[in-house]
Amino acid sequence: MSDRALKTQTPAGESAGEPLARRGLGHALQAMRAIMLRELYKFSQQTGRLVSALVRPLLWLAVFAAGFRNVFGVAIVEPYDTYIPYDVYIVPGLVGMVLLFNGMQSSLAMVYDREMGLMRLLLTAPLPRPWLLFSKLCATALLSVLQALVFVAVAALIGTELPLLSLSGLHALVALAAGALMLGALGLLLSVHIKQLENFAGTMNFVIFPMYFLSTALYPLWKLQESGAEWVYQLARFNPFTYAVEWIRFALYGKDPGLAPYVVLGCLVVFFGLACWGYDPQRGFGGLTKRGGGGP
């Protein structure tokens, strides 16, 4: 369908930027449902995507964590009430890895859609652009949560003991969804600035690996400070991914996550707001379409 054909479907006197209230909540929810079903259908056709999402954290869990199971036991500190093996400590960080990689992969999909013209059709639909981007973000977060839950199930099957069957598990699920939304919003923001698919790998290397390794995914903050790595400790403290992992970890054991929820939700709002600003027709995405959509 061409842009002209799509625009002819808009009722007379109405523009694509009208408030949701004018067009009706039902119309907006129908659009969100269509976007989410499209993403779920695409994912169901990509079996290798699920396998690749699970192989990476399972390799860490089955090889790295198992090899150091009795070497890097974690002392009795919050949120734990006793000594725990290293594989138990690392699971929330590996869950965060699944969320992080899928959130970044969603930005690759956005760049691809933009270059192939699908994003132009989506963003010219007769609905507010932030709502369309939010629908895309929800679809990304849903896929992230599903992949993370599959990983947790496999981890439990191979012997990692986690307090899953409890009320705190529901809190952990909320933390999981919030972390998925935040990292998806970060991927959405990055897609504004990645102009070509060729630039994606380099950009991701400067985002994924620093965010993951400079966090509490693999080791607690006090270990970093105790070892004298002060600059690593400070970077990890200001890393939003650290707070996403810590919220999941503390929620899993029914403990107070402190500032983690506020940092995660605050970063979610900031990242998504900047992404909407970047996809404004007069700024990021508008400038790209005027240049032909993929210019450097």
Side-chain angles (χ1 to χ4, degrees):
M1 181 183 292
S2 66
D3 291 354
R4 180 178 299 177
L6 186 60
K7 290 177 181 178
T8 57
Q9 295 181 1
T10 305
E14 295 187 0
S15 63
E18 285 188 344
L20 284 175
R22 286 286 300 276
R23 296 185 176 277
L25 181 61
H27 180 56
L29 293 178
Q30 185 179 19
M32 174 182 279
R33 176 175 174 272
I35 292 172
M36 296 183 71
L37 287 178
R38 175 180 179 268
E39 293 300 317
L40 287 172
Y41 177 76
K42 283 174 56 181
F43 182 74
S44 68
Q45 302 300 309
Q46 300 169 339
T47 308
R49 184 175 170 185
L50 175 61
V51 174
S52 63
L54 295 179
V55 165
R56 190 181 302 107
L58 285 175
L59 186 63
W60 279 83
L61 184 63
V63 178
F64 185 79
F68 293 99
R69 182 183 182 94
N70 296 319
V71 177
F72 290 151
V74 179
I76 304 177
V77 292
E78 291 287 344
Y80 308 109
D81 297 323
T82 183
Y83 286 96
I84 60 165
Y86 186 55
D87 63 324
V88 173
Y89 176 83
I90 205 178
V91 163
L94 296 178
V95 168
M97 175 190 284
V98 174
L99 304 181
L100 177 62
F101 274 82
N102 190 69
M104 297 305 104
Q105 191 173 13
S106 70
S107 68
L108 172 62
M110 290 289 284
V111 175
Y112 178 80
D113 284 350
R114 186 178 66 207
E115 287 197 348
M116 298 302 293
L118 296 178
M119 276 303 299
R120 287 193 182 91
L121 293 178
L122 178 63
L123 295 177
T124 54
L127 280 168
R129 186 160 301 190
W131 177 259
L132 295 170
L133 293 174
F134 179 70
S135 299
K136 174 70 174 177
L137 174 60
C138 289
T140 298
L142 176 60
L143 292 179
S144 296
V145 169
L146 291 177
Q147 292 175 56
L149 291 178
V150 172
F151 165 72
V152 169
V154 175
L157 288 176
I158 63 177
T160 302
E161 298 181 2
L162 298 170
L164 299 176
L165 302 178
S166 62
L167 290 177
S168 59
L170 295 177
H171 184 191
L173 185 60
V174 172
L176 187 67
L181 286 169
M182 183 195 74
L183 295 170
L186 177 60
L188 197 64
L189 175 60
L190 289 175
S191 71
V192 174
H193 303 286
I194 302 174
K195 305 299 190 297
Q196 294 177 327
L197 291 175
E198 291 80 3
N199 300 332
F200 181 81
T203 304
M204 293 302 98
N205 285 336
F206 285 100
V207 176
I208 291 179
F209 294 115
M211 285 193 74
Y212 185 72
F213 289 109
L214 296 176
S215 72
T216 57
L218 302 178
Y219 27 71
L221 281 178
W222 64 267
K223 285 266 190 184
L224 294 174
Q225 193 173 36
E226 186 181 71
S227 65
E230 186 65 26
W231 67 273
V232 179
Y233 168 75
Q234 294 298 336
L235 288 175
R237 281 185 59 207
F238 290 97
N239 182 359
F241 182 70
T242 290
Y243 295 92
V245 172
E246 288 300 282
W247 189 4
I248 296 172
R249 179 175 286 128
F250 275 72
L252 198 57
Y253 290 89
K255 300 298 179 65
D256 180 15
L259 292 176
Y262 302 100
V263 174
V264 171
L265 296 176
C267 288
L268 165 61
V269 172
V270 171
F271 293 156
F272 182 70
L274 291 175
C276 292
W277 184 86
Y279 272 95
D280 187 280
Q282 303 302 321
R283 298 184 180 91
F285 189 78
L288 289 173
T289 56
K290 292 174 184 177
R291 292 196 302 264

